Amino acid sequence: MGRSSPTLSNGSGYKVEHRTVGTLGLLLIGFFWCSGGIYGNEALLEAAPSGYVFIALMLGAVFYAVPLSLISAELSCALPYDGGQVAWVEETCGSRLGAHNMYWLWVSYVFDAASYPVFAAEYFGERLDLSDSERDIIADGFVLAITIVKLCGTEYLVKASGSLFVISMLPATIYVVYGAKEFRTREWTDMDVSEEAGGLDVAMLLSWIIWLYSGFGSLGALAGEIKDPSKSYPVVIAVLVPLVTAFLVLPLMVSLSMDSTRENYQPGQFDTLASKLCGEWLGIGFIIGATACFTGLYNAQIIVCERSLAAFLAKPALDLADQRPNWRVMGYLFRENGTGVAPVFIIFNASLAGVLVWLPYDALIEFSVIKSCLTSILYMYSYVWYRVKRPDMERPFNLIPCGVVGGVMMAAPVLAMALVTLYYAAISGDEVLGLKDAKIFGALIFVSAGVLVNLIYLAYLRWVRGASGSYSLDGNGGMLTAVENEALLIPDKTTAPGTDESYGSF
């Protein structure tokens, strides 16, 4: 599930020279960004009856996942910049709008990351019959446990991606295989949208579809680290698109065949039905599989949050610490110390996620999706821009014919999905924590906050400049590193002593 990029470690706008990720590595990482498994998807049936859900899943795969995957593969092979979408938007839209795009992505990732501890707590809560407050405490414990492991060294979680994949997939596969004998097709075609049956929430259904499939647009985030993009990406999207779609559809088919009552479908219902189908051992297997899945997904999203902030804040502070001994405390605060990024970024993002887990999971998803829609609009613009401005650019992988026309037609359904989702979010009038229209107003507040963040960050750069005498601001508000850096793209292409992170400006 969720559906975002795994790393922004080397900044944007340039090609990295060290490529270490092969096809299998991209496939395993991509699985957690494009799906992660079936866990938590029970809540789809809160949005719509089964007939609408299956239609939405299939149309979403064809008109959203496939275009996103083909666009990401094409740009990743032609322009293998580390950071993917962030780099392409920054290059086509300019440094200032590109930096706002990165801010929106960071906000989206924080909300996305916070949803996975909530889902994990729901699975434990259903089995142990816990209250809402007890589930929230478990969610915070989940965040705390992963944060402690990350502070000991991120490599422990990164190296476990293969094991997490197997542990996540095995219970779901057993469930589908054993449950096939229970198939009852009439339970898959329910189109009753009456109030008594549970109704139809178009805004929530669209949010779920985008949330489930948007990870295909983030596969390009690793483009700069893939050994042979032109060979890896075609294989990965050929495997992931049908695999992800199958593991979204088949478990729901099994579950609805066993229990067609929509109101029963809360996170954890798969666990209950798995125990009923095969015994307690498979129910326990679902708890283990869900924990592995949500661990991989939470870690993936929160790494992006950490590295996004580090890319903007760490390097100027480290340079200041190196040049001014009296500011050495900045080095202790912002140096990564073997944890991938400085512990302050790990703790800050984990603390924010720990607060957000107290929100309802459907609100977290819809908040995340609203901001994801904004970045998708810029992404599609960037793709069409390359088709218009660079028609002769070498494209080692290109299954989208007809030049600009083909590019527009491929981007159109993704753009339409984003705009329609924003429209329904604006008119839904849903309440969150008793506040009417909270989701759309919350999204507007976070987008508007980007302007404030811009001003704060520029003040931070001016302060660093004044303290070190080593930085100057360009006419557009970007930052140049003294005399040796002439590039205006952000982040800067140099790295600070003791860190692999680069930085830029809003």
Side-chain angles (χ1 to χ4, degrees):
M1 280 172 273
R3 341 283 206 219
S4 304
S5 63
T7 178
L8 299 172
S9 58
N10 292 323
S12 64
Y14 65 100
K15 300 182 181 181
V16 297
E17 297 180 1
H18 302 289
R19 301 179 181 275
T20 59
V21 181
T23 301
L24 181 60
L26 179 61
L27 181 62
L28 291 174
I29 295 171
F31 171 76
F32 281 106
W33 271 263
C34 297
S35 174
I38 68 174
Y39 310 101
N41 293 352
E42 302 98 322
L44 261 171
L45 290 167
E46 285 188 65
S50 61
Y52 283 93
V53 167
F54 286 123
I55 290 172
L57 286 172
M58 298 310 297
L59 291 179
V62 174
F63 294 106
Y64 195 76
V66 170
L68 273 179
S69 61
L70 291 177
I71 288 171
S72 295
E74 178 181 324
L75 291 180
S76 296
C77 295
L79 301 166
Y81 300 157
D82 199 26
Q85 177 183 344
V86 170
W88 303 322
V89 170
E90 190 267 337
E91 185 172 54
T92 58
C93 297
S95 61
R96 177 162 294 186
L97 187 54
H100 281 287
N101 175 65
M102 178 182 258
Y103 164 75
W104 298 338
L105 283 171
W106 173 73
V107 173
S108 178
Y109 293 148
V110 171
F111 276 89
D112 197 10
S115 66
Y116 301 116
V118 175
F119 281 124
E122 290 290 335
Y123 267 74
F124 282 102
E126 286 296 314
R127 175 161 287 270
L128 301 176
D129 194 24
L130 301 176
S131 66
D132 289 344
S133 58
E134 289 172 329
R135 298 181 192 206
D136 292 335
I137 292 171
I138 287 179
D140 277 330
F142 185 94
V143 172
L144 178 62
I146 295 180
T147 302
I148 291 173
V149 174
K150 289 168 67 65
L151 290 172
C152 294
T154 305
E155 69 275 5
Y156 294 112
L157 285 172
V158 173
K159 292 178 180 178
S161 60
S163 299
L164 293 175
F165 172 82
V166 174
I167 296 171
S168 172
M169 288 291 288
L170 188 58
T173 303
I174 295 172
Y175 182 64
V176 170
V177 171
Y178 272 79
K181 65 179 183 295
E182 304 287 341
F183 277 174
R184 291 188 295 168
T185 57
R186 67 179 180 274
E187 306 296 349
W188 309 340
T189 56
D190 177 20
M191 305 292 283
D192 185 0
V193 295
S194 64
E195 291 286 338
E196 296 77 13
L200 172 64
D201 188 334
V202 177
M204 183 183 289
L205 182 60
L206 287 173
S207 294
W208 268 95
I209 297 304
I210 288 182
W211 191 64
L212 291 169
Y213 288 124
S214 61
F216 286 100
S218 299
L219 290 173
L222 282 177
E225 301 178 44
I226 307 301
K227 294 177 182 178
D228 191 343
S230 62
K231 291 183 179 179
S232 294
Y233 277 97
V235 173
V236 168
I237 64 174
V239 173
L240 281 183
V241 173
L243 178 67
V244 168
T245 305
F247 273 88
L248 290 175
V249 171
L250 293 176
L252 278 177
M253 288 181 169
V254 173
S255 301
L256 286 165
S257 298
M258 298 175 64
D259 180 5
S260 59
T261 305
R262 285 178 60 187
E263 63 186 22
N264 292 338
Y265 282 84
Q266 300 289 329
Q269 177 67 358
F270 285 154
D271 163 32
T272 301
L273 294 175
S275 298
K276 180 180 177 182
L277 178 66
C278 295
E280 189 69 10
W281 64 271
L282 187 57
I284 295 173
F286 258 72
I287 295 293
I288 297 172
T291 302
C293 170
F294 297 136
T295 298
L297 288 167
Y298 171 81
N299 181 58
Q301 311 311 316
I302 212 68
I303 281 178
V304 180
C305 300
E306 296 159 358
R307 292 173 186 263
S308 297
L309 289 184
F312 281 87
L313 299 176
K315 187 178 188 303
L318 289 172
D319 284 352
L320 175 60
D322 290 335
Q323 295 171 25
R324 293 285 190 270
N326 55 319
W327 287 102
R328 196 166 297 163
V329 66
M330 300 292 282
Y332 295 122
L333 188 63
F334 286 99
R335 213 172 294 280
E336 58 95 6
N337 298 318
T339 54
V341 294
V344 64
F345 298 118
I346 295 176
I347 295 171
F348 175 78
N349 283 284
S351 300
L352 186 54
V355 173
L356 292 175
V357 298
W358 290 74
L359 290 174
Y361 61 83
D362 58 335
L364 290 171
I365 292 173
E366 292 191 61
F367 272 128
S368 174
V369 166
I370 287 171
K371 287 169 280 294
S372 178
C373 287
L374 297 175
T375 62
S376 294
I377 293 170
L378 292 178
Y379 188 16
M380 293 303 100
Y381 168 82
S382 298
Y383 174 66
V384 174
W385 186 94
Y386 283 119
R387 285 273 174 147
V388 173
K389 298 294 186 179
R390 299 184 186 178
D392 299 323
M393 178 176 68
E394 183 180 355
R395 293 175 168 84
F397 176 76
N398 181 14
L399 294 183
I400 305 174
C402 303
V404 174
V405 175
V408 170
M409 292 179 64
M410 189 60 64
V414 178
L415 181 61
M417 189 82 160
L419 293 174
V420 170
T421 300
L422 290 174
Y423 169 76
Y424 274 104
I427 68 170
S428 66
D430 293 342
E431 291 188 358
V432 177
L433 301 178
L435 301 176
K436 189 174 178 59
D437 297 315
K439 289 190 286 290
I440 190 64
F441 282 117
L444 290 175
I445 289 171
F446 275 105
V447 170
S448 301
V451 177
L452 179 60
V453 170
N454 177 24
L455 296 175
I456 294 173
Y457 186 71
L458 290 179
Y460 168 71
L461 295 185
R462 290 188 177 95
W463 173 74
V464 171
R465 179 189 60 178
S468 66
S470 300
Y471 298 94
S472 63
L473 297 174
D474 67 24
N476 294 319
M479 187 171 70
L480 306 178
T481 51
V483 294
E484 68 267 17
N485 180 22
E486 297 179 356
L488 295 180
L489 288 178
I490 61 169
D492 168 48
K493 300 181 181 63
T494 62
T495 54
T499 179
D500 292 326
E501 300 300 326
S502 57
Y503 65 98
S505 66
F506 288 95

